[in-house]
Amino acid sequence: MTEIVRDPDFYEATDEDDCSAYRYFCQAHDRYYSHEACGEGPHLIALRCEDHGLENMWPQPLMLRFCEGFTPSLSEAQLAWARSEDDAA
């Protein structure tokens, strides 16, 4: 399974957004993803917001260890958010 954390074509959420309904969506099988039940073979998972469609995910703080490995790289907002979470811990 591969998770898409950031894609330039995806919506970039802001603090002003009032999104409340998210689901994982498998782009490889063109359906919602739930514990590999969307089909056989590799999965390409993205976060799908009910209001905005496919949306960039906020990375987990541990992802900062490998931020150079992301293509495209994490946005400045994603890095700032993850670093603030890491500082709070």
Side-chain angles (χ1 to χ4, degrees), residues 40-86:
E40 291 187 22
H43 302 280
L44 186 59
I45 308 302
L47 189 62
R48 186 178 183 109
C49 170
E50 195 172 277
D51 297 327
H52 302 109
L54 296 175
E55 190 169 294
N56 289 326
M57 291 186 202
W58 290 104
Q60 299 298 316
L62 290 177
M63 290 178 174
L64 285 175
R65 292 184 185 174
F66 307 103
C67 58
E68 292 83 20
F70 287 101
T71 304
S73 59
L74 298 178
S75 70
E76 288 299 318
Q78 287 174 313
L79 282 171
W81 179 84
R83 287 181 177 141
S84 70
E85 290 291 311
D86 194 36

